[in-house]
Amino acid sequence: MTARVAYVGNEANAAGYRLAGARPYVPAPEAVAAAVDQACAGSDVVILSAACAQRLPAGRVESLVSQVSPLLFLVPDAPLEDIGARLRRELGLEP
């Protein structure tokens, strides 16, 4: 049996989770609660970004974390870095 995994967060991180097989949800700030509800309804595991978790009422996050199913993970948001600047640094073109 394969676990159904969902990710709720920003678009850049969602692309990576999609490559790993998760179903991504990239909600607008006002639609985070609905996206979390939708992800929870159709998944065994939900990965929720810290930024999206902050848009939910504290009681809602505690309730989600305490549930057995779906299993919820809170993950920090990876910094969105300028890939061009990083490549120039890595290649030694910039300090």
Side-chain angles (χ1 to χ4, degrees), residues 59-72:
R60 177 75 171 126
V61 173
E62 290 172 9
S63 171
L64 289 169
V65 170
S66 67
Q67 292 178 1
V68 173
S69 181
L71 184 60
L72 181 89

Side-chain angles (χ1 to χ4, degrees), residues 38-87:
Q38 188 177 7
C40 287
S43 306
D44 302 309
V45 177
V46 176
I47 303 166
L48 179 61
S49 75
C52 284
Q54 289 176 346
R55 298 190 194 289
L56 297 173
R60 177 75 171 126
V61 173
E62 290 172 9
S63 171
L64 289 169
V65 170
S66 67
Q67 292 178 1
V68 173
S69 181
L71 184 60
L72 181 89
F73 291 96
L74 294 174
V75 294
D77 294 294
L80 300 177
E81 184 177 354
D82 177 4
I83 192 69
R86 181 175 177 184
L87 284 172

